[in-house]
Amino acid sequence: MIMRLSFIQDRIKSYNAKLRDSNVNHDASKKIQKPHGDVRHAAVLIPILSQRDGLTLLLTQRTDHLDNHPGQVSFPGGVTEANDDTLEHTALRETREEIGLKHSNIDILGRIDTLETSSGFSVTPIVGVVNHPFSISVDPNEVASVFEVPLEYLFNPKNHEYTTRICDNKRYRGYSIAYNGYDIWGVTAAIIHNFYRVLEGEI
């Protein structure tokens, strides 16, 4: 499936309008709401890059010593802090801290559905376009590597596998995507799958 940037922009705009009309709390103008119980708010950036051979998504692999999701593939992002007025602010701040990507290089398109993780986080994905030229400078304490995956590869259902795995003595069922030695699974694979469904008009 070939995706054009203009198509993605239109789809995300329409989807966020639908969310606002449904009174779902995805409006960027709204303050971050107090989480329920022990759930903590977090936001990640889905960074879209327009390269010569097509669109890609930028992903990171977390370092092995982190407390949450060590060694896993993820989008840049993290937990909200007191000074974050919006989830967009959280995603942009964390992206700058983790991989050195400046706010001025990113055009925010909108949000897709928030996901709840088994580790107690409410994660909202923020879709953004990364403008050229840009530079990457990783925080080696948090990020082991940064890599790109073609959107066509990620959105090909043949590359999605629904699996069961054991992690920290817990059983997880969900999508996984293998790419060039990287194992994309858990909430990151779920976000990619939801992103695909939004663009296909399935949700």
Side-chain angles (χ1 to χ4, degrees), residues 153-172:
Y153 183 92
L154 290 172
F155 285 176
N156 186 341
K158 294 181 180 179
N159 297 323
H160 295 201
E161 184 179 4
Y162 199 75
T163 62
T164 300
R165 65 178 73 201
I166 304 296
C167 184
D168 295 330
N169 296 319
K170 296 179 181 179
R171 183 183 299 272
Y172 297 93

Side-chain angles (χ1 to χ4, degrees), residues 90-150:
T90 299
L92 291 174
R93 176 184 52 74
E94 287 283 344
T95 297
R96 178 68 181 270
E97 292 174 2
E98 290 181 7
I99 62 174
L101 196 55
K102 297 178 180 179
H103 301 183
S104 57
N105 278 112
I106 303 169
D107 290 334
I108 296 296
L109 301 184
R111 306 179 181 185
I112 61 173
D113 287 331
T114 295
L115 297 178
E116 303 288 337
T117 73
S118 60
S119 52
F121 293 96
S122 175
V123 183
T124 300
I126 310 297
V127 183
V129 177
V130 180
N131 298 309
H132 295 271
F134 64 90
S135 61
I136 298 293
S137 176
V138 303
D139 177 356
N141 185 57
E142 295 192 49
V143 179
S145 63
V146 178
F147 62 102
E148 295 177 44
V149 185

